[in-house]
Amino acid sequence: MRSDALKTGCTRAPQRSLLRALGLSDREMARPFIGVVSSFSEYIPGHRHLKEISEAVKAGIRNAGGVPFEFETIGVCDGLAMGHEGMRYSLCSRELIADSVEVMLTAHPLDAVVFIPNCDKVVPGMLMAACRLNLPSIFVSGGPMLPGRHNTVKFGLSEMFEAVGSHAAGKIDDAELLALEKSACPSCGSCSGMYTANSMNCLTEAIGLALPGNGSIPAVLSARIALAKDAGEQVLELLRQDLRPRDILTEKAFENALRSDMALGCSSNTVLHLLAIAHEAGVAVDMQKIDQISRTTPQLCKLNPASQVFITDLNDVGGIQSVLKELARAGLIHEDIPTVSGKVGERFAAFPAADGEIIRTVEDPFRKDGGIAILTGNIAPEGAVVKQGAVAPEMMQHTGPARCFDSEEAASKAILGGEIQAGDVVVIRYEGPKGGPGMREMLNPTSALTGMGLGSSVALITDGRFSGATRGAAIGHVSPEAAAGGVIGLIRDGDQVEVDIPGRKLNLLVSDEEIAARKAAWKAPQKPLSGYLKRYAKLVTSASTGAVFTD
């Protein structure tokens, strides 16, 4: 066992004496040592209950004959970080999480690992670490939050952000805004819609590193505790089989995850994270492959923020396994590949067939292609990403005059100030991985547009990214970014911008000669940076490669 490097032989007597200081018995010293990596935090609603989840995991490990050792990582709540300087640190935290897990699990040799993430960048950060270390591993998330209710209508955090725009437009008063505020987030757990956290937890199940139910069982149900115990027990079985993440995360497993992504209509952030995880796993996934899978995968689910159907509703009709089962009926899923608990097809066999409403059939999908599309053109020769499953039909093709802003704050001020008109294309640049730095989410401006009634008449493009809570013609991840000399930095107010989502096009409608002249006169702006952001800006690569660090 890997932990023998720490506890076996006469030369390891000093290390054993330190382990005995923890209260370990002679019998425990001979058992497998299992890491339990949690992102518990009293400051993050999605993580507040993870102590209870980790205790259940540790009980499962002990049940199966292992000795658990828990430690915690950092985590950023994107909702709390939204709209201010803190959002620059959200994507940045992914690399810190992966690095910190690597440090802890290498400095203290353990035999296998249970990962307990829940929100946003913690899930991909831990997945990247699992690939990097390649120890027998299993994931169990904290589960989704229950949706809020207002006047008998279910709603989530995305509608709460949109309410700010409605308030600014005079559509709701202070009292209603407060009532919504008090109702939007009624329990612990990852925010209730198919936002980034729930998207990544669902995809962790689909890719095979978590047990069935990981993505959809609500945080507050006792079934979530039972799932955690099962994960703790199952990790000992993975150790016995010597089944490791890279044995599971093959090219076929990534294809299954991408099919699920497109069928579920997941957050556009999944593109960034799956690219980064594939990079760590040594599997070839790029923007072209993602778009190819999108073009050939039907969207079977339309979950909040694209509808009033929530992740908890999906759980009630079979969850991710029933989605996989329906995709497999069309021959779109690799069934005979391993997961942490048997072959893919074996796992979904006992789950119900698609109900036809929350999970549509392949014959009657919400869309014939996937929920995410990759656009290219002279603005984004390396690609841009749009959650097309949440775009109004009238905005699938749109050409309009550019309104350019060099920061999220400037754009939000103009939107809330009534300066944006129907037909405009809002351009927010210098918010990419390097230029931000940190590639902030533009949920405030997109929510303001929707709340003010402009979501079906105004497009927004950015080299930043979007929350999974975003809906509308919001095109992000534009690559190359403005700070790297991308064309998005050369657009001027009044230029005509073409958005053609069915045609997968994003173009600035000026001549190549004019673009070349503007490029020759362009100079990269310099931002005063310090600390981690300064180091991050030096090391991070393009969004089109997952914003991973340079090798």
Side-chain angles (χ1 to χ4, degrees):
M1 291 188 294
R2 187 171 179 265
S3 61
D4 287 344
L6 190 70
K7 63 183 182 181
T8 300
C10 295
T11 60
R12 292 295 180 255
Q15 285 83 358
R16 288 195 299 274
S17 69
L18 289 168
L19 292 171
R20 292 183 189 281
L22 300 174
L24 263 65
S25 67
D26 288 341
R27 286 185 178 180
E28 287 177 316
M29 203 76 77
R31 293 172 181 167
F33 283 7
I34 310 299
V36 178
V37 185
S38 168
S39 56
F40 166 76
S41 168
E42 293 183 341
Y43 198 31
I44 300 176
H47 298 186
R48 181 179 62 83
H49 63 306
L50 294 189
K51 282 288 189 187
E52 187 177 10
I53 299 293
S54 65
E55 288 302 318
V57 165
K58 289 187 285 187
I61 291 169
R62 294 188 186 100
N63 288 346
V67 182
F69 295 89
E70 181 182 359
F71 66 91
E72 292 165 2
T73 70
I74 64 167
V76 172
C77 172
D78 280 23
L80 293 173
M82 197 72 65
H84 59 85
E85 195 67 14
M87 180 46 75
R88 299 195 191 282
Y89 288 85
S90 173
L91 182 59
C92 297
S93 72
R94 188 187 71 183
E95 270 56 38
L96 281 177
I97 290 162
D99 289 349
S100 66
V101 173
E102 176 191 354
V103 167
M104 286 293 289
L105 292 179
T106 305
H108 313 105
L110 299 172
D111 300 309
V113 193
V114 181
F115 290 94
I116 310 174
N118 212 30
C119 292
D120 293 279
K121 312 311 164 293
V122 183
V123 188
M126 288 185 177
L127 284 164
M128 291 163 69
C131 295
R132 192 180 299 175
L133 293 159
N134 205 32
L135 296 171
S137 300
I138 194 168
F139 280 67
V140 56
S141 74
M145 180 185 291
L146 298 178
R149 284 186 180 272
H150 180 65
N151 295 334
T152 73
V153 176
K154 290 191 294 186
F155 76 111
L157 189 65
S158 59
E159 288 89 349
M160 192 64 243
F161 274 93
E162 290 168 7
V164 175
S166 297
H167 182 264
K171 295 182 177 182
I172 62 173
D173 59 17
D174 291 351
E176 186 166 3
L177 185 66
L178 180 61
L180 288 165
E181 174 189 325
K182 290 184 175 182
S183 304
C185 300
S187 74
C188 62
S190 48
C191 293
S192 56
M194 188 54 87
Y195 314 151
T196 304
N198 285 331
S199 294
M200 290 307 304
N201 286 325
C202 289
L203 296 186
T204 303
E205 179 181 337
I207 210 168
L209 279 184
L211 296 173
N214 179 72
S216 60
I217 295 174
V220 297
L221 293 191
S222 56
R224 176 62 57 177
I225 300 300
L227 185 74
K229 288 180 183 176
D230 289 343
E233 293 183 359
Q234 187 64 20
V235 78
L236 272 297
E237 178 62 21
L238 296 175
L239 178 61
R240 187 191 67 77
Q241 296 177 20
D242 194 29
L243 185 62
R244 299 168 183 259
R246 291 191 185 184
D247 299 325
I248 295 170
L249 298 186
T250 61
E251 183 176 0
K252 289 181 178 179
F254 276 95
E255 288 177 2
N256 282 354
L258 286 165
R259 295 283 186 196
S260 304
D261 193 341
M262 301 307 164
L264 289 163
C266 288
S267 164
S268 58
N269 280 317
T270 58
V271 173
L272 271 180
H273 300 322
L274 287 173
L275 287 169
I277 296 159
H279 175 79
E280 290 284 357
V283 175
V285 177
D286 57 23
M287 297 279 266
Q288 290 71 33
K289 184 179 185 68
I290 293 170
D291 191 53
Q292 181 271 324
I293 287 178
S294 172
R295 289 174 183 267
T296 55
T297 307
Q299 183 176 351
L300 305 181
C301 302
K302 202 161 192 175
L303 302 170
N304 181 266
S307 77
Q308 292 304 303
V309 177
F310 287 80
I311 191 80
T312 51
D313 300 314
L314 177 65
N315 185 68
D316 291 340
V317 297
I320 305 310
Q321 296 302 312
S322 290
V323 174
L324 290 170
K325 188 172 189 173
E326 182 60 20
L327 289 171
R329 200 169 63 82
L332 296 174
I333 291 295
H334 300 287
E335 298 184 43
D336 194 30
I337 60 174
T339 74
V340 292
S341 58
K343 300 290 180 67
V344 170
E346 296 169 349
R347 298 209 311 174
F348 64 60
F351 282 78
D355 69 314
E357 295 182 12
I358 293 173
I359 304 173
R360 293 268 189 100
T361 64
V362 291
E363 291 85 7
D364 181 34
F366 286 101
R367 299 183 54 86
K368 292 184 178 180
D369 57 354
I372 293 174
I374 306 300
L375 312 186
T376 57
N378 63 4
I379 295 177
E382 294 175 8
V385 181
V386 60
K387 187 174 179 176
Q388 65 174 344
V391 177
E394 58 267 37
M395 290 300 293
M396 295 296 287
Q397 292 177 303
H398 177 79
T399 299
R403 294 295 312 279
C404 300
F405 304 93
D406 290 348
S407 71
E408 176 195 2
E409 289 82 359
S412 293
K413 182 179 178 181
I415 294 166
L416 292 172
E419 298 176 24
I420 303 303
Q421 306 300 317
D424 286 347
V425 178
V426 175
V427 178
I428 307 177
R429 68 266 186 110
Y430 299 107
E431 289 285 7
K434 284 184 177 295
M439 203 178 180
R440 290 192 290 178
E441 290 185 344
M442 303 292 116
L443 180 57
N444 276 352
T446 56
S447 296
L449 286 170
T450 299
M452 297 179 77
L454 294 171
S456 59
S457 60
V458 171
L460 189 151
I461 69 171
T462 180
D463 51 10
R465 57 194 179 91
F466 296 108
S467 165
T470 292
R471 55 177 171 156
I475 298 105
H477 307 204
V478 170
S479 301
E481 62 178 291
V487 169
I488 189 172
L490 308 178
I491 303 172
R492 295 177 180 173
D493 281 346
D495 285 344
Q496 292 292 303
V497 174
E498 175 196 33
V499 175
D500 181 359
I501 296 172
R504 302 296 202 265
K505 296 177 183 177
L506 182 63
N507 285 305
L508 173 61
L509 301 182
V510 303
S511 68
D512 292 344
E513 292 77 13
E514 175 63 17
I515 291 173
R518 293 182 189 182
K519 181 65 182 289
W522 174 84
K523 291 183 179 180
Q526 299 298 314
K527 292 183 178 180
L529 299 175
S530 62
Y532 180 54
L533 283 184
K534 184 176 182 178
R535 296 195 299 276
Y536 182 86
K538 288 181 178 179
L539 293 172
V540 72
T541 60
S542 169
S544 63
T545 57
V548 297
F549 280 179
T550 52
D551 291 327

